[in-house]
Amino acid sequence: MRIVSYPNIGEYERVVYNFLDRIIDKDNCKILRPIKNNKKILELGEHASPDNVCTPFKYTIGSMINSLENGANVIIQLGGGCRFGYYAQVQEKILKDDLNYDFTFINLYHGNKIDFVGALKRIKILNPNLSINKVLKELYLTLELLKFTDYITTYIRDNSCYVDDINEIKKIEKEILEDVLNISSIKEIKAKKEEYKAKIDNLLTNKEKKLKIGIVGELYSLMDPFSSCYLENDLIEKGYKIKRYTTASYLLLDKHKSEKKVLKQAQNYLRYKIGADGTESVAHTLELINEGYDGVIHIKPFGCTPEINAMPILKKISEDYSFPIMFYTFDTLNSDTGFQTRVEAFIDMLEMREKK
Ligand code: SF4
């Protein structure tokens, strides 16, 4: 029996599960969903990784080790973009040669591009009868599901501050995430989108002015709650209006189309792209200033070069516009309390500015 797993990244693992569930041969293959990132995953990853590698490498390899220890014998690595595009080759070597795990590794990326033909050949071990038409059909549904997930979770993020009882919107979010595991048609996606949007709109009764905080930075820290000490969730629960641009559908479907626009937005500070999402961090901070946000929190994992490049530019923007930006780097030794104290101090300062 093949037992297939994949590294965790936030709630997106549900979309991957949904896709695999529709393509595997269920008589000979089953799916082991990766657990959410936690301290144990990070420790496993840290022990297996080179010291200076960026932190998402550690999370993803830790997640794979945990699945291998729990019986997985096929691992799919989905990463791409920046150094992420080369993680898979190094991780495969570490897992097989250094840690002696015996398993099949399916890497869907070659360099920084999806190798579609190669990927189809490799993924056939999960179902030898899989045709290219079936994969294309299911992939199309998966992309629509990804767009739906991002649309509705972004809508929740943008509007939670206008809800009187945050638990009500949390309940809806939980229902949506459960649905993501089981949705099986475009028709269902459309119906769910309308249903959930209407449910959320019904809750938007609080019209008080809220402090507005943007969150920019590296993609993994932005999209995986544990790796940013649940920053986003914490700000939502405290009732602030928050904005985060980076989502998986933006990275997969829209990023390449937006490159010129993003560079143009950042043109007073940047002439060339600075890698990964560093250019976006600059452009989106300027956009947030224009939109009247009160402050920005820039987050990145240890070792993230593109965001290190963005930081001096953001500091200059902060001086030029007299605009508060807080910087935080997450590494394996982070203390949740230390981080929360920094965030609270930053918010106190934003509130004092607002009162003035
Ligand atoms: S964006 Fe940063 S953390 Fe992500 S792969 Fe690139 S260097 Fe590593």
Side-chain angles (χ1 to χ4, degrees), residues 54-56 81-84 87 218-219 276-277 301-307:
C54 45
T55 321
C82 190
R83 291 185 210 160
F84 223 117
Y87 278 4
E218 187 271 340
L219 67 101
D277 293 336
F302 171 77
C304 176
T305 325
E307 296 301 332

Side-chain angles (χ1 to χ4, degrees), residues 282-296:
V282 174
H284 291 151
T285 299
L286 290 164
E287 194 172 314
L288 290 162
I289 294 172
N290 279 336
E291 287 182 8
Y293 272 69
D294 297 290
V296 157

Side-chain angles (χ1 to χ4, degrees), residues 124-143:
K124 270 193 155 202
I125 67 159
L126 307 178
N127 183 351
N129 298 322
L130 211 52
S131 69
I132 192 149
N133 283 346
K134 167 82 176 156
V135 176
L136 286 175
K137 184 171 157 259
E138 300 303 351
L139 216 45
Y140 175 67
L141 177 58
T142 300
L143 290 177

Side-chain angles (χ1 to χ4, degrees), residues 262-274 278-279 281-287 289-290 309-323 325:
V262 167
L263 204 50
K264 194 162 175 227
Q265 276 177 308
Q267 67 187 356
N268 290 342
Y269 292 89
L270 276 176
R271 285 172 64 192
Y272 305 101
K273 291 187 287 176
I274 51 173
T279 320
S281 290
V282 174
H284 291 151
T285 299
L286 290 164
E287 194 172 314
I289 294 172
N290 279 336
N309 293 339
M311 284 171 68
I313 307 165
L314 292 174
K315 283 179 186 159
K316 178 84 176 77
I317 292 174
S318 173
E319 279 170 26
D320 290 352
Y321 288 84
S322 184
F323 181 76
I325 303 180

